[in-house]
């Protein structure tokens, strides 16, 4: 067992474990692990008690909870895990938005739109969970400091940040995908995130140029994405073996 | 719980292509030696991953082919919006910011693609002449002041097509990260445009099923296949039961079009 993996009380939990490569018994297992990006290795017993957001160790500030490590040595799996983390966050966020409709001042039409987006994000989350299988063994606890779920514009601004981050995240992490099938799946999702971003931005500033503020969307490094997401996550999002090489996008950010 | 298998995220279309490529190799087609080595080793997962790269080829000519194709789409869109912006009385003042923004972006996309093509020693294709009546499918359309509704429905069709067109070509850019990032950064902006135009027309920002809604029947190929609910090895129709059901499942994923499908859609617009 990986001595670096700890429990749910604010300690480190490895999402996947490249070191388990040393423990495989046969060449066939080895090849299977390589093919999987090594993602078979899971610590379900350590994570079993972490569902329902109880893995905060009693702490609630951003990054104060159990660390969740995404190991880029896992290749494509790590990219999908990063996406899974973001989709968990988005699904949770819109769940709270929907739960607060009674007080947040959204019109009936806006409520319908936000409920649709909530469904899409839940589906993205559950799709990635199913795709990752045993590599999806983490549930993130969220925190929304500074977001007033009873205030329309406060909610929309947070939604804008999440959607823009999602677009830039998929755009930036796609260069690390090695399988065409995974790139296609990421592309199927990212354009829907971009549609969301456009809709949210239009709700903030209707019929302006805000729905698409640049001819090129951002293409962000995973580290940049993690910093943006961390503001809303109790769990500390940690990267291992993050690639040093990064090709920036045409907007030259990242 | 679905267990992640290496091949599971690969779409059936890709598997077919892989199968074809494998058959070609069996018949003696040349293959990169590392792939041959992996096949010899019996490492099917790795070989499939590498073959996917092989099939979707990243020869410079392949990248150029994609960039030239994208340039044609951007020529179409940029001319469409420029003519609209320049047509007095077509776009109401309330909506001019939206379409000016889109028009500017499409011009920028053209410029960017020209540079990418030249930077790869390619010669950009010439800007063709366009027929925005689509050879009569949009009877009498001439950017006239009374034709704003028609302009908007064409805009929606072009933007939704653009999203699907880029999506269908991304895997051919996998070893040219600069070109890939440019395509990705444009792809998601086209999706922002699409959502805005759809909302401007009173619809949702996303596509439900394969529905063209109130668009004319000739636009149906823009939406065919958008009702797919299987991605890799995962059927999202079942897992969406508590999240809006099949309609939401189709909305949550945009689908690619092949180059041939896109060509068929836009050919009527070429004069």
């Amino acid at each position: 067992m990986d001595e670096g993996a700890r429990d749910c009380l604010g300690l480190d939990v490895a999402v996947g474990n490249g070191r388990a490569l040393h423990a495989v018994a046969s060449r066939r297992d080895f090849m299977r692990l390589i093919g999987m990006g090594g993602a078979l290795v899971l610590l379900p017993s350590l994570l079993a008690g972490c569902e329902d957001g109880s893995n905060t160790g009693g702490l609630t500030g951003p990054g104060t909870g159990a660390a969740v490590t995404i190991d880029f040595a896992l290749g494509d799996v790590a990219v999908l895990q990063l996406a899974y983390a973001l989709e968990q966050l988005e699904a949770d966020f819109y769940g709270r938005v929907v739960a607060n409709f009674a007080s947040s001042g959204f019109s009936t039409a806006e409520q319908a739109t936000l409920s649709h987006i909530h469904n899409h994000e839940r589906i993205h989350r559950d799709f990635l969970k199913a795709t990752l299988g045993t590599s999806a063994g983490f549930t993130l606890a969220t925190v929304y400091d500074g977001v007033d779920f009873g205030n329309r514009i406060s909610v929309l601004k947070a939604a804008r940040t999440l959607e823009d981050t999602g677009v830039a995240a998929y755009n930036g992490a796609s260069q690390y995908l090695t399988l065409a099938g995974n790139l296609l799946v990421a592309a199927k999702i990212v354009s829907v995130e971009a549609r969301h971003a456009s809709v949210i931005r239009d709700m903030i500033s209707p019929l302006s140029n805000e729905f698409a503020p640049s001819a090129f969307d951002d293409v962000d490094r995973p580290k940049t994405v993690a910093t943006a997401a961390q503001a809303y996550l109790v769990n500390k999002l940690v990267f291992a073996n993050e690639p040093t090489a990064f090709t920036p996008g045409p907007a030259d950010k990242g | 719980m679905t267990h992640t298998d290496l091949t599971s995220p690969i779409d059936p279309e890709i598997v077919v292509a892989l199968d074809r490529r494998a058959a070609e190799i069996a018949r003696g087609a040349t293959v990169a030696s590392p792939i041959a080595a992996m096949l010899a080793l019996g490492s099917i997962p790795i070989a499939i991953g590498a073959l996917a790269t092989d099939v979707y080829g990243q020869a410079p000519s392949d990248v150029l082919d994609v960039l030239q194709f994208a340039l044609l789409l951007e020529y179409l869109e940029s001319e469409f919006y420029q003519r609209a912006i320049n047509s007095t009385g077509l776009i109401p003042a309330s909506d001019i910011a939206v379409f000016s923004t889109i028009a500017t972006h499409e011009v920028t996309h053209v410029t960017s693609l020209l540079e990418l093509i030249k930077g790869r020693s390619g010669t950009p294709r010439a800007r063709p002449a366009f027929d925005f009546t689509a050879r009569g499918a949009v009877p009498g359309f001439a950017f006239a002041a009374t034709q704003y509704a028609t302009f908007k429905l064409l805009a929606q069709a072009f933007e939704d097509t653009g999203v699907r067109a880029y999506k269908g070509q991304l895997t051919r850019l996998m070893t040219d990260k600069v070109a890939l990032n440019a395509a990705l950064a444009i792809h998601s902006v086209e999706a922002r445009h699409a959502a805005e135009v759809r909302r401007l027309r009173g619809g949702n920002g996303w596509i439900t099923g394969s529905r063209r809604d109130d668009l004319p029947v000739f636009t149906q190929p823009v939406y065919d296949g958008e009702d797919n609910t299987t991605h890799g090895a995962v059927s999202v129709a079942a897992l969406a039961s508590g999240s809006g059901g099949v309609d939401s499942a189709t909305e949550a994923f945009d689908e690619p079009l092949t180059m041939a499908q896109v060509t068929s859609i836009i050919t009527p617009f070429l004069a």
Side-chain angles (χ1 to χ4, degrees), chain A residues 215, chain B residues 81-82 85 99-109:
Chain B
Y81 291 112
Q82 285 303 317
I85 295 294
F99 286 110
S100 295
T101 298
I102 296 176
T104 302
H105 289 175
E106 308 299 8
V107 170
T108 304
H109 294 167

Side-chain angles (χ1 to χ4, degrees), chain A residues 65-83:
Chain A
V68 169
T69 301
I70 294 176
D71 185 353
F72 283 84
L74 304 184
D76 285 25
V77 168
V79 174
L80 297 178
Q81 285 175 331
L82 176 60

Side-chain angles (χ1 to χ4, degrees), chain B residues 249-260:
Chain B
T250 64
E251 292 164 1
F253 294 81
D254 282 334
E255 296 296 315
L257 286 173
T258 65
M259 190 179 283

Side-chain angles (χ1 to χ4, degrees), chain A residues 82-170:
Chain A
L82 176 60
Y84 179 50
L86 293 175
E87 299 292 356
Q88 280 191 37
L89 171 57
E90 290 185 311
D92 181 84
F93 172 80
Y94 286 106
R96 294 182 192 227
V97 172
V98 169
N100 283 280
F101 275 161
S103 63
S104 48
F106 286 105
S107 71
T108 303
E110 288 176 331
Q111 290 183 21
T113 297
L114 292 164
S115 296
H116 278 294
I117 296 177
H118 179 221
N119 283 333
H120 302 163
E121 305 298 10
R122 283 170 51 91
I123 292 166
H124 290 165
R125 177 197 64 194
D126 294 343
F127 163 77
L128 286 163
K129 184 176 184 180
T131 296
L132 282 164
T134 49
S135 300
F138 61 98
T139 301
L140 298 171
T142 55
V143 60
Y144 301 99
D145 290 348
V147 180
D148 179 357
F149 284 95
N151 180 290
R152 177 182 177 278
I153 199 68
S154 178
V155 167
L156 289 175
K157 286 183 173 176
R160 178 179 62 190
T161 298
L162 289 174
E163 298 292 356
D164 284 347
T165 298
V167 172
Y170 280 99

Side-chain angles (χ1 to χ4, degrees), chain A residues 27 35 120 124 131-132 182 215 247, chain B residues 4 6 9 41 109 181 251-252:
Chain A
R27 175 183 158 277
H120 302 163
H124 290 165
T131 296
L132 282 164
N182 289 336
T247 303
Chain B
T4 306
L6 185 79
L41 270 173
H109 294 167
N181 285 349
E251 292 164 1

